């Protein structure tokens, strides 16, 4: 990094080999354009849509499913093959669309580049496209301009630049032309530099370009967005592993069944068909679709709760978040400067509690000394600090326009960064005039000779000054931005409108204390986060005192927590930050690189990190975080395109609601996995027992595939929309590396699978007393109906009667449809196609008893084991 801010203009000109009075020559500019390239944000070669689509087929589970569909075709089960292929293609297209959307981040960054710039070339002012700017160019700036490149200011006339998209600060930065002495300054403190993509809000200036394109601060962010690898969500990783285990395990078991059958001298072709059909049944091909649909339904719920999900897995990831790194400005705060304290007549008045009319004269004078205004529609124009003054005046007293009609402005001395004051002169009654000065406390108090006490003008004593100074420090320590207000009466307009003549012998009125206040609802959200075991962390480009005050008020910074500045962070190694990160609740004065380090340090501690933000400076961290949440109203396009989720109401509370939804969805996905795997174990077991016992196959391939079609679809989907547990936000977040079979599923799934397999085999034995067709009919019926019973078991660890048998209306509907379909196959002529037959009432009694036994057994187990647990 070149520390151009510590150099004077002559050194800058010498280093850049340019003439700040005449600019570059046209020839020299051409040479430099060839050397440095255009002033654009470049990006690596984009992946084609086709390559994104093909990448979706590299997953192990997907490969197994493709093989399964080919086997199904070989068996003549065209319907099953088509269903499997449809599921594969659906997931592939969804994945491709999500990836394609994620590639748009850099395109949004490009929109922040100014299209045209006014530059000095060959001693003349000309307009050129900003992409042709080169280091050494001298560029003009005025209010409303985008800054087209990074540079060092040569001239500043009340120049103020909104750098919030880059630094996170809500107040426009006042710029100067002089050199600075500290070379270790963060972006927000380099007040003699300008940066690409920021906006001029006030005044005018002249700067010399020091960096262009990808060498700018905006370019560095673009590189970070470009270089960061896509982070897989915990669920994606777990399902990938699960797919490998299931696929490999199913193939091994099927191979064992095939080998045993051949050793028993059964027909080789029959055993091969049974084994491969069992392989198709053993792999829960519906699982990826169930997960995708469950997540998609979760997305619809999120929209109702003001959160738009851009990437489906983000819904689940939110549920495991245990850290929320949040930008301050606009996320935790209102991004709206507000006057909250006034100090006049040696009394501090809190305008948050109730308006006090003792503040009338102070607000009247300060409002007259502003250029800001609010239109009839409530839209504000001007510097945020001045807008805050006008807002509090109009809220409690009258319209600014009425006040200006009463005291019209006749002259002014504009604000400048050297004086740090602004003065306006207004026509008062008769031939009298009112001179009003507002500005930085130290500068204003030195110009005051008198003070207003109880409506009377008295001499300003040293004791008065000491009291006022203590109050100024007190307000500053409470993170308030403080302005001093003074005035004097005059008989005429001074002939010479300069500071020395006008801004002297002033009467001190008081102080205004303002802040960007925290959002009201955030306090409750922070409490819920802590109750749910989630650590909220504030990361901001603002000053440390301001950040700490807001964090304490919100409950983010508590006893034992520490606050760290960007400079302190830079002094730490990655290992030091890794060890310390858990104790830090506030980061102030940070840069985009710092945010990335913080997120990575948490991830290295095995945390699932959610990051909220709205500015360009947040984009790399939003992309790196496990879940990035951008603000929908104040958020830049870059932030939105880098995020997994967009909060449409810019409300921190929405992310807490999203976490609750994410936790519910993860639990429901686990319920679906629980259900599907226990059913598949039951299917494998009934065939394995028969094979080992040397008995005929209880089920034909068509039976297995039909059972999968009936039971793996609707009931599994219904589990995906199971209502949330009431206590879901009182539980600690699950660990990032937690096994998907935690909370007893590792034991419940095989035990329940064995139950399903045993009751189906028992039904087969009962049926064999008549003939093989009858036995297969009974085994087929019990296998299907016991799996539907298992859907009720999988709903909760609590009794189904306690959670409500009919609470999940979708489950009731799914069971009704599945039972109807199974009865149609058994009781109609369709049974001939399946090789089964109609059975008697006695056999139906056995089927019903055996099918309901998994519910009866599990209700007893839940009452005895889970209640005591």
């Amino acid at each position: 990094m070149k520390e151009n801010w510590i150099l004077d203009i002559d050194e800058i000109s010498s280093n850049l080999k340019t003439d700040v009075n005449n600019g570059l020559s046209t020839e020299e500019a051409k040479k430099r354009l060839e050397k440095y390239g255009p002033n654009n944000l470049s990006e690596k070669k984009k992946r084609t849509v086709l390559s994104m689509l093909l990448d979706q087929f590299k997953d192990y589970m997907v490969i197994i499913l493709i093989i399964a569909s080919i086997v199904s075709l070989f068996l003549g089960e065209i319907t099953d093959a088509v269903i499997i292929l449809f599921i594969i293609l659906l997931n592939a297209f969804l994945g491709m669309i999500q990836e394609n959307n994620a590639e748009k981040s850099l395109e949004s960054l490009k929109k922040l580049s100014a299209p045209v710039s006014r530059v000095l070339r060959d001693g003349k002012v000309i307009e050129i496209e900003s992409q042709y700017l080169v280091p050494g160019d001298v560029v003009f700036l005025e209010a409303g301009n985008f800054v087209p490149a990074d540079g060092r200011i040569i001239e500043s006339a009340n120049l103020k630049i909104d750098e919030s998209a880059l630094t996170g600060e809500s107040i426009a930065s006042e710029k100067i032309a002089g050199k600075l002495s500290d070379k270790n300054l963060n972006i927000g403190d380099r007040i003699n530099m300008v940066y690409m993509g920021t906006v001029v809000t006030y005044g005018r200036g002249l700067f010399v370009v020091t960096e262009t394109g990808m060498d700018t601060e905006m370019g560095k962010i673009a590189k970070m967005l470009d270089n960061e690898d896509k982070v897989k969500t915990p669920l994606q990783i777990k399902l990938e592993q699960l797919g490998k285990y299931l696929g490999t395990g199913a193939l091994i078991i099927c191979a064992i069944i095939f080998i045993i059958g051949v050793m028993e001298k059964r027909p080789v072709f029959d055993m091969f068909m049974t084994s491969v059909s069992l392989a198709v049944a053993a792999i829960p091909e519906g699982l990826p679709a169930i997960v995708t649909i469950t997540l998609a339904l979760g997305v619809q719920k999120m929209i109702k709760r003001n959160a738009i999900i851009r990437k489906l897995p983000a819904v689940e990831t939110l549920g495991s978040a245990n850290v929320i790194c949040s930008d301050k400005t606009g996320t935790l705060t209102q991004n709206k400067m507000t006057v909250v304290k006034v100090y006049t007549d040696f009394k501090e008045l809190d305008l948050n509690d109730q308006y006090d009319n003792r503040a009338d004269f102070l607000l009247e004078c300060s409002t007259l000394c502003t250029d800001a205004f609010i239109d009839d529609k409530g839209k504000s124009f001007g510097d945020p600090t001045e807008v805050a003054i006008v807002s509090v005046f109009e809220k409690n007293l009258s319209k600014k326009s009425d006040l200006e009609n009463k005291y019209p402005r006749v002259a002014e001395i504009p604000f400048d960064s050297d004086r740090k004051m602004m003065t306006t002169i207004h026509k008062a009654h008769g031939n009298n005039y009112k001179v009003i000065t507002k500005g930085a406390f130290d500068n204003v108090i030195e110009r005051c000779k008198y003070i207003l006490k109880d409506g009377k003008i008295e001499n300003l004593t040293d004791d008065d000054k000491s009291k006022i100074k203590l109050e100024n420090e007190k307000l500053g320590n409470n993170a308030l931005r403080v302005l001093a207000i003074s005035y004097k009466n005059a008989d005429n307009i001074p002939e010479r409108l300069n500071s020395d003549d006008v801004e002297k012998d002033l009467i001190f009125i008081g102080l205004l204390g303002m802040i960007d206040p925290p959002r009201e609802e955030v306090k409750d959200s922070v409490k819920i986060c802590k109750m749910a075991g989630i650590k909220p962390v504030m990361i901001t480009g603002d000053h440390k005192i301001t950040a700490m005050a807001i964090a304490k008020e919100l409950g983010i910074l508590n006893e034992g927590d520490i606050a760290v500045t960007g400079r302190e962070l830079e002094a730490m190694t990655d290992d030091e930050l890794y060890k310390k990160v858990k104790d830090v609740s506030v980061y102030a004065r940070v840069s985009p690189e710092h945010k990335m380090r913080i997120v990575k340090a948490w991830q290295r501690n095995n945390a699932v990190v959610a990051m909220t933000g709205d500015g360009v400076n947040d984009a790399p961290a939003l992309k790196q975080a496990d879940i990035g949440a951008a603000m929908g109203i104040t958020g830049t396009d870059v932030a939105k395109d880098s995020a997994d989720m967009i909060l449409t109401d810019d409300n921190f509370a929405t992310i807490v609601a999203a976490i609750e939804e994410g936790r519910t969805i993860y639990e429901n996905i686990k319920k679906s996995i629980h259900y599907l795997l226990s059913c598949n174990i039951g299917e494998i077991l009934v065939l394995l027992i028969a094979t080992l016992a040397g008995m005929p196959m209880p089920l034909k391939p068509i039976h297995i595939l039909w059972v999968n079609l009936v039971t793996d679809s609707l009931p599994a989907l219904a589990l995906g929309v199971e209502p949330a547990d009431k206590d879901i936000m009182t539980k600690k977040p699950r660990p990032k590396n937690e096994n998907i079979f935690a909370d007893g599923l590792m034991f419940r799934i095989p035990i329940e699978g064995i139950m399903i397999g045993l009751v189906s085999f028992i039904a087969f034995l009962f049926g064999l007393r008549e003939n093989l067709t009858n036995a297969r009919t009974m085994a087929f019926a019990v296998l299907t109906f016991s799996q539907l019973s298992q859907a009720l078991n999988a709903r909760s660890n609590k009794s189904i009667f306690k959670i409500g048998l009919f609470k999940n209306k979708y489950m009731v509907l799914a069971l009704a449809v599945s039972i109807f379909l199974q009865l149609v196959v058994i009781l109609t002529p369709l049974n001939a196609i399946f090789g089964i037959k109609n059975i008697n009432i006695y056999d139906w009694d056995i089927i019903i008893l055996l099918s309901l036994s998994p519910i009866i057994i599990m209700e007893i187990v839940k009452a005895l084991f889970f209640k005591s647990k």
Side-chain angles (χ1 to χ4, degrees):
M1 184 192 296
K2 300 171 188 173
E3 291 91 5
N4 289 307
W5 56 92
I6 62 170
L7 306 177
D8 59 33
I9 302 301
D10 291 337
E11 289 176 286
I12 292 281
S13 301
S14 175
N15 291 345
L16 292 170
K17 295 178 181 163
T18 189
D19 179 353
V20 295
N21 296 313
N22 295 301
L24 297 173
S25 67
T26 305
E27 280 301 311
E28 179 61 24
K30 282 182 182 177
K31 289 178 186 175
R32 295 192 184 192
L33 189 62
E34 288 177 13
K35 179 181 177 181
Y36 296 104
N39 179 36
N40 289 332
L41 298 179
S42 61
E43 59 184 63
K44 63 185 177 184
K45 189 178 177 183
K46 279 190 177 182
R47 294 166 64 211
T48 63
V49 173
L50 181 62
S51 69
M52 288 182 199
L53 183 63
L54 292 175
D55 279 349
Q56 309 302 317
F57 295 99
K58 293 179 181 177
D59 182 73
Y60 184 86
M61 185 82 160
V62 172
I63 294 168
I64 293 288
L65 290 176
I66 291 170
I67 294 169
S69 65
I70 294 168
V71 169
S72 296
L73 281 172
F74 177 76
L75 291 171
E77 301 297 335
I78 296 170
T79 304
D80 204 66
V82 169
I83 290 170
I84 295 170
L85 283 172
F86 174 76
I87 290 166
I88 293 167
L89 290 171
L90 175 67
N91 279 287
F93 276 107
L94 284 172
M96 177 200 71
I97 291 165
Q98 289 164 24
E99 280 197 39
N100 191 40
N101 287 338
E103 295 289 327
K104 293 179 181 176
S105 297
L106 291 169
E107 292 172 19
S108 299
L109 270 172
K110 285 183 172 181
K111 293 175 188 174
L112 290 175
S113 301
V116 176
S117 298
R118 288 173 61 232
V119 300
L120 197 58
R121 291 261 177 100
D122 300 312
K124 298 175 184 176
V125 180
I126 61 169
E127 269 195 358
I128 64 168
E129 287 184 40
S130 295
Q131 64 174 321
Y132 299 124
L133 286 177
V134 294
D137 263 326
V138 177
V139 183
F140 292 83
L141 289 176
E142 56 187 33
N145 287 165
F146 268 102
V147 178
D150 288 6
R152 171 74 156 77
I153 296 171
I154 302 169
E155 291 177 14
S156 172
N158 305 322
L159 183 64
K160 292 184 182 181
I161 296 181
D162 178 1
E163 297 180 330
S164 59
L166 201 59
T167 65
E169 279 198 71
S170 54
I171 300 169
S173 176
E174 296 170 7
K175 296 297 182 179
I176 64 169
K179 72 174 184 177
L180 304 172
S181 56
D182 190 348
K183 70 176 184 179
N184 297 314
L185 293 177
N186 288 311
I187 292 172
D189 295 319
R190 300 172 199 163
I191 56 174
N192 60 359
M193 299 289 293
V194 293
Y195 296 101
M196 176 192 273
T198 57
V199 185
V200 180
T201 60
Y202 193 82
R204 55 185 176 76
L206 195 65
F207 78 95
V208 59
V209 175
T210 54
E211 279 89 23
T212 59
M214 295 301 283
D215 293 325
T216 62
E217 292 297 328
M218 198 68 74
K220 290 174 188 174
I221 293 175
K223 281 177 188 170
M224 282 190 277
L225 286 172
D226 214 23
N227 294 336
E228 285 306 317
D229 294 328
K230 189 178 176 184
V231 180
K232 285 190 176 180
T233 72
L235 183 65
Q236 284 176 315
I237 294 166
K238 287 167 191 167
L239 287 180
E240 216 171 75
Q241 292 171 342
L242 179 62
K244 288 178 182 178
Y245 296 147
L246 289 178
T248 305
L251 293 174
I252 290 170
I253 290 170
C254 295
I256 290 169
I257 290 175
F258 176 74
I259 291 166
I260 291 171
V262 171
M263 288 172 66
E264 291 179 351
K265 298 195 171 15
R266 298 192 186 202
V268 174
F269 185 70
D270 287 353
M271 284 311 302
F272 174 73
M273 286 185 67
T274 301
S275 297
V276 291
S277 62
L278 189 57
V280 173
I283 299 168
E285 65 272 8
L287 183 57
I290 297 296
V291 171
T292 301
I293 294 166
T294 301
L295 291 173
L297 292 171
V299 167
Q300 295 305 310
K301 283 188 182 179
M302 293 285 203
I303 290 170
K304 292 175 184 175
R305 301 185 83 166
N306 299 313
I308 296 172
I309 301 298
R310 296 184 63 252
K311 302 166 187 176
L312 284 183
V315 181
E316 173 274 329
T317 313
L318 267 170
S320 60
N322 49 13
V323 179
I324 302 177
C325 294
S326 176
D327 191 46
K328 177 183 75 69
T329 306
T331 310
L332 298 170
T333 64
Q334 298 173 21
N335 197 18
K336 182 182 178 184
M337 291 300 289
T338 306
V339 177
V340 291
K341 301 265 189 182
V342 298
Y343 179 76
T344 186
D345 208 0
F346 299 109
K347 294 179 182 69
E348 183 186 292
L349 309 174
D350 191 340
L351 300 188
N352 275 331
D353 295 336
Q354 188 176 357
Y355 183 75
D356 193 310
N357 56 20
R358 286 175 290 181
D360 287 1
F361 186 65
L362 177 62
L363 291 180
E364 187 178 280
C365 290
S366 54
T367 301
L368 285 170
C369 192
T370 63
D371 292 324
F373 67 94
I374 300 171
D375 66 16
D376 294 335
K377 295 179 181 177
K379 188 175 181 183
S380 57
F381 299 86
D383 182 84
T385 302
E386 293 194 344
V387 169
I389 295 169
V390 176
S391 294
V392 73
F393 176 81
E394 293 198 349
K395 178 183 176 184
N396 296 292
L397 294 168
S398 66
K399 293 289 290 180
K400 183 189 178 187
S401 55
D402 296 337
L403 184 65
E404 287 180 324
N405 289 335
K406 187 177 178 181
Y407 300 105
R409 187 186 298 190
V410 292
E412 65 184 276
I413 304 176
F415 174 90
D416 70 54
S417 52
D418 293 328
R419 288 167 37 249
K420 294 186 177 176
M421 293 187 296
M422 171 185 180
T423 295
T424 57
I425 303 172
H426 303 264
K427 185 85 166 66
H429 306 295
N431 293 322
N432 295 322
Y433 295 90
K434 193 186 291 285
V435 179
I436 304 171
T437 300
K438 82 172 194 308
F441 168 75
D442 291 336
N443 299 54
V444 172
I445 200 73
E446 289 307 313
R447 307 292 182 106
C448 291
K449 188 176 180 181
Y450 308 98
I451 185 170
L452 200 62
K453 290 182 182 179
D454 295 323
K456 297 174 184 176
I457 299 168
E458 297 182 13
N459 288 326
L460 180 68
T461 65
D462 289 339
D463 184 49
D464 291 337
K465 282 187 179 181
S466 297
K467 288 179 182 176
I468 298 166
K469 185 178 180 183
L470 283 173
E471 178 66 21
N472 177 63
E473 288 173 356
K474 177 188 171 185
L475 295 174
N477 289 335
N478 286 326
L480 299 184
R481 179 178 171 84
V482 184
L483 284 178
I485 312 298
S486 62
Y487 85 109
K488 70 179 179 180
N489 296 311
D491 297 330
N492 51 53
I493 301 172
E495 291 181 11
R496 295 174 58 197
L497 277 176
N498 61 42
S499 176
D500 292 336
D501 291 340
V502 178
E503 295 169 340
K504 68 177 184 179
D505 298 336
L506 299 171
I507 305 163
F508 181 81
I509 311 172
L511 304 173
L512 292 176
M514 57 192 75
I515 197 169
D516 179 9
R519 290 175 176 269
E520 288 296 323
E521 63 278 2
V522 170
K523 286 183 186 178
D524 290 335
S525 300
V526 169
K527 283 180 186 173
I528 293 169
C529 282
K530 295 201 169 184
M531 186 173 64
I534 301 163
K535 182 178 176 71
V537 178
M538 179 191 287
I539 305 179
T540 178
D542 216 335
H543 293 279
K544 187 175 182 178
I545 292 175
T546 306
M548 286 178 68
I550 295 288
K552 281 178 183 174
E553 190 175 342
L554 291 173
I556 291 173
L557 189 67
N558 300 118
E559 194 79 33
D561 294 340
I562 58 175
V564 170
T565 64
R567 187 177 292 190
E568 291 167 337
L569 190 61
E570 281 196 348
M572 293 183 203
T573 64
D574 286 343
D575 285 338
E576 286 171 335
L577 180 58
Y578 159 70
K579 291 172 186 173
K580 200 172 187 177
V581 73
K582 289 183 179 179
D583 299 320
V584 183
S585 290
V586 174
Y587 295 89
R589 226 67 185 137
V590 295
S591 68
E593 293 91 342
H594 295 150
K595 294 184 180 189
M596 291 284 286
R597 283 187 68 199
I598 294 161
V599 172
K600 286 181 176 179
W602 271 112
Q603 288 174 330
R604 194 176 159 194
N605 273 282
N606 221 26
V608 176
V609 185
M611 167 77 185
T612 70
D614 57 0
V616 175
N617 60 322
D618 297 320
L622 286 171
K623 191 174 181 184
Q624 172 64 29
D626 298 285
I627 171 76
M631 301 298 111
I633 300 171
T634 60
T636 59
D637 285 346
V638 185
K640 290 174 187 174
D641 287 341
S642 301
D644 304 286
M645 180 174 81
I646 297 168
L647 310 180
T648 58
D649 57 355
D650 282 15
N651 194 335
F652 180 83
T654 301
I655 200 169
V656 180
I659 286 173
E660 181 184 348
E661 197 64 52
R663 287 187 175 191
T664 302
I665 287 166
Y666 183 78
E667 288 301 313
N668 288 348
I669 288 171
K670 279 182 69 173
K671 289 169 187 174
S672 297
I673 292 170
H674 171 189
Y675 168 66
L676 291 171
L677 296 189
S678 56
C679 292
N680 285 13
I681 287 171
E683 293 168 18
I684 291 174
L685 192 66
V686 70
L687 291 179
L688 185 60
I689 293 171
T691 304
L692 292 173
M695 298 175 71
M697 285 293 112
L699 300 163
K700 289 184 174 183
I702 192 172
H703 297 158
I704 297 167
L705 298 173
W706 173 258
V707 169
N708 270 20
L709 187 66
V710 171
T711 62
D712 282 11
S713 52
L714 295 179
L717 277 175
L719 284 170
V721 291
E722 186 71 27
D725 290 334
K726 291 178 182 177
D727 59 352
I728 198 155
M729 285 304 280
T730 61
K731 299 173 183 175
K732 299 295 180 188
R734 63 185 179 276
K736 190 174 185 177
N737 55 359
E738 181 186 274
N739 193 299
I740 203 163
F741 300 113
D743 297 327
L745 279 190
M746 184 67 78
F747 302 102
R748 278 191 68 180
I749 288 172
I751 289 169
E752 290 166 5
I754 289 167
M755 271 198 300
I756 292 167
L758 284 176
V759 294
S760 301
F761 187 71
I762 291 167
F764 179 67
L765 293 178
F766 267 106
L768 275 177
R769 290 182 304 174
E770 188 175 324
N771 55 48
L772 184 59
T773 303
N774 194 71
R776 282 177 172 164
T777 304
M778 290 187 71
F780 179 43
V782 170
L783 183 64
T784 303
F785 294 135
S786 63
Q787 288 190 15
L788 297 179
S789 293
Q790 175 60 10
L792 294 174
N793 284 334
R795 284 181 62 195
S796 175
N797 285 341
K798 299 169 187 171
S799 166
I800 57 171
F801 302 105
K802 189 173 181 180
I803 63 171
L805 193 58
F806 302 104
K807 189 177 178 182
N808 186 348
K809 60 184 179 182
Y810 299 104
M811 178 60 76
V812 175
L813 183 63
L815 293 178
V817 171
S818 298
I819 291 168
F820 173 76
L821 290 173
Q822 184 68 7
L823 290 175
V824 166
V825 167
I826 295 172
L827 301 176
T828 68
L830 283 173
N831 54 25
I833 299 171
F834 284 79
I836 55 177
K837 69 184 201 58
N838 230 323
I839 49 181
N840 60 45
I841 294 294
Y842 171 73
D843 288 342
W844 271 115
D845 289 340
I846 294 171
I847 287 170
I848 292 168
L849 181 63
L850 289 172
S851 298
L852 291 175
S853 57
I855 290 182
I856 297 166
I857 294 167
M858 283 311 299
E859 282 296 306
I860 295 169
V861 170
K862 286 176 183 179
L864 295 175
F865 177 70
F866 290 108
K867 187 176 180 181
S868 63
K869 185 181 177 183

